Amino acid sequence: MVDKLKRTKIKQILSQGKSGEKLCAKGWVRTKRESKNVAFVALNDGSTIKNLQLVLDVPNVDESLLRKITTGASISAIGKLAESQGSGQSVELLVESIEVLGEANPDEYPLQPKRHSLEFLREIAHLRPRTNTFGALFRIQHEMAYAIHTFFHNKGFYHIHTPILTASDAEGAGETFKVTTLDLNDVPKTPEGEIDYKQDFFEKETNLTVSGQLEGELAALAVSEIYTFGPTFRAENSNTTRHLAEFWMMEPEMAFYDLEDNMDLAEEMLRYVVKHALEHCEDDLEFLNKRLLDEEKQKPQNQRSELSLLERLQFVAENEFERVSYTEAIEILKRSKPNQKKKFQFLIEEWGADLQSEHERFLVEKHFKKPVILYNYPKDIKAFYMRQNDDDKTVAAMDVLFPGIGEIVGGSQREERQGKLEQRMDEMNIPREELNWYLDTRRFGTVPHSGFGLGFERMIQFVSGMGNIRDVIPFPRTPGNCEF
Ligand code: ATP
Ligand code: MN
């Protein structure tokens, strides 16, 4: 009978493997060091950032086989575990038989056992999952998604799927991707010369969703507490380090919650998720922490951050966020040094100004030195569905601002009063007929309710310390870039 051993994952080998145990490991070669008698191969299978060291008895390995064991090649190895002689690992595998599953020609394989720039890796995004950094990011983003589901499950929230194809533009910003099956070379027109959407697949104009909120509200107004977690699409042409054209958003919606309940929930969730990362992604965070420290060393002293990545995460997990009204924030910003000295690109002159990322980051990083929840924004810079406050100027909106990121969560108490909602829609030229289904929830059994949206990739950016959002989603979509 052929000796067929089941594969053991490297994570399990390194944490539970016993000396003398015979087992089979499979994975991709990271490095090979070779001398006359012995070769050391660092093998990684993605189950952990750590590599398994394979020890090969060179005189007993076929020479042509040995030459095929190069960085990037995939191999299957059987052998006995032994306590490691070298430092850095507990056990190593003394190889008895080894097979190359797939070669990676060293003259062509673009990943070398050295640090590549993130810009270079973006160009080979199809291979970058095989680097330590992106392996760490894969594991962290999995843990984050798991933590979010666990958090809401434990609170009795229901996870629902909201549609991706929709006829509504929840934000009213008009930054949607159109969805059509019409022949773009021969678009049918109405007698008036407009596009005849009656002949399109859905018999009306449709687009990819920018948010699941409006549909989420319908569900919350029936079963109290729900959340959606799905892809959203925004055709905003903002080439920033925080914007993607396709990103994932986690959106809870809760009946009987006012703005304060909403802020409490957002803060509790964010701190829970960060704590989960600290407890469950230790090795990966340690690696990213070191990566960031190395990167910081390249910067001039005054541009280095005061806290390391791990210290930042600990800080967020352990400290309450600062809650500040928009009006207070404007006062702070007006008096601030960068405003007085005209260092802001957009100077804050009066109440009503929309806050830019430079202002948000000043408040978080320089003034309060902790995450900040801003609330009660001017109604003119916010969406139609936010609840109007009695002052007639502001709405019950709240944004959570994080260091290094700026806005990570945007939410509000929703306008539950039918009359007020319709009046605001009229003022903002949003046709009531189009949102009749939404208005029905206010017609029938309306209740105060709230919700928010958390940008999943911005969360990963914060937890991993990665500077560019294109590096925290496996396959980024940005203006001019839709590869793979
Ligand atoms: P910003 O002002 O940064 O563009 P926004 O006000 O448009 O954000 P919301 O519409 O409130 O954001 O969306 C909720 C959350 O979704 C944001 O707090 C952010 O975390 C995330 N988000 C929004 N737009 C993007 C994007 N283009 N790419 C990645 N995440 C995004
Ligand atoms: Mn935006």
Side-chain angles (χ1 to χ4, degrees):
M1 209 178 80
V2 197
D3 185 10
K4 189 157 188 275
L5 259 181
K6 275 228 170 86
R7 166 195 175 216
T8 308
K9 287 197 189 183
I10 291 176
K11 183 180 181 182
Q12 195 184 334
I13 297 176
L14 293 179
S15 60
Q16 294 161 29
K18 304 233 167 7
S19 195
E21 200 176 341
K22 182 167 179 172
L23 46 80
C24 169
K26 299 184 184 189
W28 293 266
V29 174
R30 283 292 163 79
T31 56
K32 182 178 73 171
R33 282 184 294 131
E34 192 181 331
S35 67
K36 204 156 166 277
N37 290 316
V38 62
F40 297 103
V41 175
L43 193 70
N44 190 282
D45 68 359
S47 59
T48 159
I49 196 160
K50 293 180 180 154
N51 300 323
L52 174 67
Q53 172 152 284
L54 310 181
V55 186
L56 276 72
D57 189 18
V58 169
N60 283 326
V61 183
D62 178 69
E63 207 197 308
S64 74
L65 177 69
L66 197 60
R67 255 186 284 120
K68 289 179 188 162
I69 301 174
T70 57
T71 297
S74 49
I75 62 178
S76 170
I78 291 175
K80 283 213 178 79
L81 278 188
E83 245 158 77
S84 179
Q85 311 292 310
S87 61
Q89 64 263 326
S90 51
V91 288
E92 56 191 22
L93 192 73
L94 307 179
V95 173
E96 291 164 9
S97 69
I98 188 162
E99 186 190 343
V100 174
L101 303 173
E103 296 174 42
N105 184 340
D107 297 331
E108 292 167 16
Y109 188 60
L111 291 172
Q112 293 307 315
K114 61 161 195 176
R115 174 161 297 178
H116 293 290
S117 76
L118 292 170
E119 289 76 15
F120 171 72
L121 291 175
R122 243 170 262 153
E123 285 167 26
I124 51 159
H126 57 300
L127 291 172
R128 69 181 185 174
R130 295 195 190 176
T131 61
N132 280 334
T133 301
F134 286 88
L137 286 164
F138 271 96
R139 288 181 291 273
I140 288 172
Q141 68 95 28
H142 168 78
E143 283 293 341
M144 295 288 89
Y146 175 76
I148 288 169
H149 283 296
T150 308
F151 176 82
F152 284 112
H153 176 78
N154 289 345
K155 283 197 173 294
F157 282 56
Y158 301 128
H159 178 208
I160 73 155
H161 291 160
T162 47
I164 290 165
L165 300 177
T166 165
S168 77
D169 171 6
E171 298 299 310
E175 292 165 336
T176 59
F177 288 98
K178 305 275 169 269
V179 170
T180 182
T181 53
L182 293 177
D183 178 358
L184 294 184
N185 288 313
D186 186 15
V187 178
K189 296 275 174 75
T190 62
E192 292 78 40
E194 314 220 302
I195 298 174
D196 186 6
Y197 286 107
K198 278 262 171 305
Q199 296 190 44
D200 204 348
F201 189 89
F202 294 110
E203 299 177 12
K204 63 159 116 177
E205 198 177 344
T206 46
N207 51 266
L208 296 176
T209 187
V210 294
S211 158
Q213 178 200 320
L214 299 189
E215 293 90 350
E217 282 186 56
L218 309 183
L221 290 171
V223 297
S224 297
E225 291 163 328
I226 64 94
Y227 68 105
T228 79
F229 195 169
T232 47
F233 307 86
R234 296 193 185 176
E236 46 194 350
N237 207 347
S238 32
N239 251 313
T240 74
T241 54
R242 299 167 304 112
H243 287 91
L244 292 163
E246 175 183 283
F247 64 100
W248 288 66
M249 190 152 43
M250 206 283 317
E251 296 175 276
E253 196 65 42
M254 301 76 66
F256 317 113
Y257 273 53
D258 64 14
L259 186 68
E260 198 181 343
D261 300 327
N262 202 20
M263 292 195 271
D264 289 346
L265 183 75
E267 176 166 348
E268 190 186 343
M269 181 204 64
L270 289 166
R271 288 172 59 190
Y272 175 92
V273 171
V274 168
K275 201 156 165 249
H276 182 92
L278 284 167
E279 285 165 4
H280 296 88
C281 307
E282 258 186 306
D283 295 342
D284 290 318
L285 286 179
E286 217 162 89
F287 169 81
L288 291 170
N289 190 56
K290 187 168 172 303
R291 188 189 158 278
L292 215 61
L293 289 176
D294 290 347
E295 208 173 70
E296 293 261 306
K297 279 186 204 143
Q298 317 290 322
K299 293 185 189 165
Q301 193 88 36
N302 63 347
Q303 282 175 31
R304 293 182 199 167
S305 51
E306 290 167 32
L307 299 181
S308 74
L309 174 64
L310 285 172
E311 287 166 337
R312 272 204 299 277
L313 298 181
Q314 252 132 23
F315 185 88
V316 167
E318 286 161 16
N319 290 282
E320 280 182 11
F321 300 176
E322 192 73 34
R323 299 187 188 188
V324 192
S325 74
Y326 167 90
T327 303
E328 293 169 79
I330 286 290
E331 286 309 313
I332 294 168
L333 288 167
K334 265 206 248 170
R335 290 194 306 265
S336 71
K337 240 194 212 159
N339 205 53
Q340 305 273 342
K341 297 199 165 166
K342 306 208 184 317
K343 288 274 159 57
F344 281 142
Q345 197 190 339
F346 298 89
L347 294 179
I348 297 288
E349 314 215 328
E350 55 190 309
W351 193 93
D354 202 355
L355 300 185
Q356 306 294 325
S357 151
E358 56 179 346
H359 309 125
E360 297 175 344
R361 294 187 58 173
F362 172 83
L363 291 169
V364 172
E365 291 160 29
K366 297 280 184 292
H367 190 81
F368 291 109
K369 295 182 189 289
K370 56 158 81 166
V372 172
I373 310 185
L374 284 188
Y375 62 91
N376 288 348
Y377 281 77
K379 63 177 180 185
D380 291 332
I381 57 172
K382 289 291 182 184
F384 74 94
Y385 50 71
M386 298 191 177
R387 193 176 197 279
Q388 295 166 59
N389 289 324
D390 292 339
D391 61 10
D392 234 19
K393 285 163 47 185
T394 61
V395 287
M398 63 107 179
D399 281 1
V400 183
L401 314 178
F402 260 32
I405 308 282
E407 181 188 330
I408 193 162
V409 159
S412 66
Q413 182 170 346
R414 318 305 189 191
E415 182 57 83
E416 85 283 12
R417 298 161 295 185
Q418 187 188 349
K420 290 262 184 197
L421 183 59
E422 287 174 346
Q423 166 220 331
R424 193 70 190 133
M425 287 169 71
D426 293 348
E427 281 169 16
M428 295 174 79
N429 292 318
I430 299 167
R432 292 190 201 179
E433 319 78 74
E434 276 180 28
L435 287 176
N436 235 324
W437 50 272
Y438 183 69
L439 287 168
D440 261 0
T441 54
R442 275 55 168 181
R443 275 183 204 115
F444 310 120
T446 189
V447 299
H449 62 288
S450 300
F452 61 82
L454 164 72
F456 186 62
E457 290 76 15
R458 288 198 192 168
M459 182 76 217
I460 306 300
Q461 246 189 304
F462 177 72
V463 170
S464 65
M466 299 296 282
N468 195 319
I469 200 164
R470 292 159 208 231
D471 297 326
V472 296
I473 189 165
F475 307 103
R477 273 81 180 90
T478 50
N481 174 30
C482 194
E483 205 62 41
F484 321 111

